[in-house]
Amino acid sequence: MRSAKDFFAPLAVGAPLPVREVPARPSRMIHFFDPSNEKMAAKIPALVGTVDVLLGNLEDAVKADNKEAARAGLVAIAKATDFGDATQLWTRVNSLDSPWVLDDVVTLVTEIGDKLDVIMVPKVQGPEDIHYVDRLLAQLEARAGLTRPILVHAILETARGVANVEQIAAASPRMQGISLGPADLAADRRMKTTRVGGGHPGYLVRQDPPVGVEDAINADRVVYQQDLWHYTIARMVDACALNGIFPYYGPFGDIKDVVACEDQFRNAFLLGCVGAWSLHPVQIAIAKKVFSPSAADVAHARRVKAAMGDGTGAVMLDGKMEDDASLKQCLVILALAEQLSAGDPELAALYAPAVQGEAQ
Ligand SMILES: CC(=O)SCCNC(=O)CCNC(=O)[C@H](O)C(C)(C)COP(=O)(O)OP(=O)(O)OC[C@H]1O[C@@H](n2cnc3c(N)ncnc32)[C@H](O)[C@@H]1OP(=O)(O)O
Ligand SMILES: O=CC(=O)O
Ligand SMILES: [Mg+2]
């Protein structure tokens, strides 16, 4: 293990200094596209400024025959596009045991390292995977003369990865965040599902049999569908919070079911996630809506803050007790509203009166 003193030293001579704080840029939707798909790629310039993150995907969902075209396509798109301040460029490289990943990383850092904000690494098993990528990136950054380190995002999609999530989150100052990868995780755990994210009608809790009713076992009883992902998301959120990095829900594959997608994203938001993946343009607006606090929550947070005066003690507001701890939650909402308003006049208007300075 590296000593704390060494942690912020570059891992290669000439590589940029590691960051001490992960930049907290909005990343409500990580919008996936396949750079080898000409129709999809043609839509990317118009998405700049409308999504927080554009992610050129090179891994699963890109056909094996198209892996090189996807890599080359991403290089071409990145070179031709000005992403501005509002949109980050990320990539998801192939898995570390694949025949493509070395060329993915070498090519992307060398050709477009100055444009890439984050590299998403799939199927991370433990901190050793992050250490490998960390050193390789430092070497390539030094050779490319980059002045800003590229950050790393891990996908949590193996049982071993989940068991090691705290060490993964702490493995490098490059760690930007972690996404839940429910599809691969389900397969790796040998769960008996056949879908990409979301719930399952068979995973439920049933109300007790009614008392004093004939054939009570077969009587109508309320069933509550449970969340397959609650444990993993909660663990991931804690690991990220502990290490000052950001947690995300991953993919929701039922593109047509925009209602369940919104529910699943909101569960993740309420548990502490800052964003989710959008696989199709229709999911962009869902993520934006869910991962931006509601106007009602912002207004309520503002009232609690005003009622709490110097921030200590207890007060009653609308019949509920508020104190230092509920104020802290309200400040989280206000800080997020302030951050998002800064780059989005529509949200700024929604949250009016101006939220400037409220989180201080
Ligand atoms: C488990 C995991 O690893 S999840 C992550 C990996 N998966 C992905 O990245 C999937 C990315 N998304 C996709 O491949 C596609 O959206 C699909 C396959 C889900 C659906 O694609 P389609 O059947 O073409 O959807 P649809 O017909 O509704 O598309 C409408 C338009 O939006 C475009 N479009 C679809 N997805 C995207 C996207 N992610 N980004 C930009 N444009 C897109 C289509 O090209 C199409 O364009 P057109 O109007 O010019 O014909
Ligand atoms: O890569 C994502 C997943 O769910 O698997
Ligand atoms: Mg996966």
Side-chain angles (χ1 to χ4, degrees):
M1 209 171 79
R2 281 193 270 167
S3 81
K5 195 159 59 62
D6 292 339
F7 204 60
F8 291 107
L11 287 176
V13 174
L17 278 179
V19 292
R20 282 173 183 260
E21 289 277 339
V22 179
R25 296 176 66 185
S27 46
R28 293 163 292 180
M29 70 298 290
I30 303 171
H31 184 71
F32 273 58
F33 67 96
D34 172 354
S36 72
N37 178 323
E38 282 176 18
K39 263 172 48 177
M40 247 190 236
K43 295 200 161 45
I44 298 313
L47 289 174
V48 173
T50 71
V51 295
D52 296 336
V53 176
L54 280 166
L55 180 144
N57 177 33
L58 307 185
E59 201 225 9
D60 292 357
V62 175
K63 281 177 115 18
D65 286 349
N66 291 347
K67 293 288 184 186
E68 272 149 40
R71 190 191 300 138
L74 179 56
V75 168
I77 290 168
K79 285 191 171 170
T81 309
D82 176 359
F83 294 92
D85 292 331
T87 300
Q88 304 177 52
L89 178 66
W90 294 19
T91 185
R92 176 169 82 168
V93 294
N94 285 287
S95 61
L96 296 179
D97 59 356
S98 76
W100 303 291
V101 65
L102 187 58
D103 287 337
D104 290 345
V105 178
V106 171
T107 304
L108 296 179
V109 178
T110 307
E111 298 280 337
I112 55 166
D114 56 333
K115 294 258 176 113
L116 264 185
D117 292 289
V118 175
I119 293 185
M120 187 182 269
V121 182
K123 302 176 178 69
V124 171
Q125 300 274 19
E128 65 280 5
D129 288 343
I130 303 300
H131 295 159
Y132 167 73
V133 174
D134 200 4
R135 178 79 72 172
L136 179 61
L137 285 177
Q139 293 167 339
L140 293 168
E141 286 167 346
R143 196 163 71 178
L146 299 184
T147 53
R148 176 187 61 115
I150 296 168
L151 303 183
V152 169
H153 182 111
I155 313 181
L156 202 55
E157 51 185 351
T158 67
R160 187 146 83 82
V162 175
N164 291 328
V165 66
E166 290 83 10
Q167 293 96 305
I168 292 169
S172 161
R174 280 187 203 276
M175 282 300 297
Q176 178 275 342
I178 301 180
S179 285
L180 171 75
D184 270 301
L185 182 55
D188 195 66
R189 280 177 172 162
R190 299 182 186 284
M191 290 167 65
K192 306 303 179 290
T193 52
T194 54
R195 40 180 76 194
V196 175
H200 192 289
Y203 192 69
L204 52 80
V205 171
R206 189 179 303 268
Q207 189 185 22
D208 279 3
V211 178
V213 171
E214 202 178 320
D215 196 12
I217 295 298
N218 292 310
D220 275 349
R221 290 189 262 163
V222 179
V223 293
Y224 302 92
Q225 198 171 314
Q226 306 293 296
D227 186 354
L228 290 164
W229 307 111
H230 179 80
Y231 156 77
T232 313
I233 293 180
R235 234 188 118 174
M236 175 180 76
V237 167
D238 282 347
C240 289
L242 176 69
N243 289 284
I245 68 173
F246 301 108
Y248 299 79
Y249 191 82
F252 186 87
D254 193 343
I255 307 290
K256 295 270 179 271
D257 193 349
V258 292
V259 175
C261 177
E262 182 170 332
D263 292 338
Q264 191 81 60
F265 285 5
R266 184 162 293 105
N267 288 348
F269 175 66
L270 288 169
L271 276 180
C273 290
V274 301
W277 301 1
S278 58
L279 303 182
H280 184 280
V282 77
Q283 294 182 337
I284 293 172
I286 302 173
K288 181 170 177 186
K289 176 179 171 196
V290 170
F291 291 99
S292 310
S294 70
D297 279 350
V298 174
H300 173 74
R302 199 178 281 134
R303 286 184 64 220
V304 172
K305 188 180 174 216
M308 279 295 293
D310 74 352
T312 63
V315 296
M316 283 292 278
L317 196 64
D318 303 335
K320 297 194 180 95
M321 191 279 298
E322 308 286 352
D323 70 1
D324 316 45
S326 59
L327 173 63
K328 284 181 198 154
Q329 295 169 55
C330 291
L331 293 182
V332 170
I333 298 282
L334 290 176
L336 180 57
E338 185 172 352
Q339 181 204 34
L340 297 175
S341 303
D344 185 334
E346 255 176 52
L347 277 184
L350 186 71
Y351 299 149
V355 293
Q356 302 304 329
E358 271 185 316
Q360 273 96 55

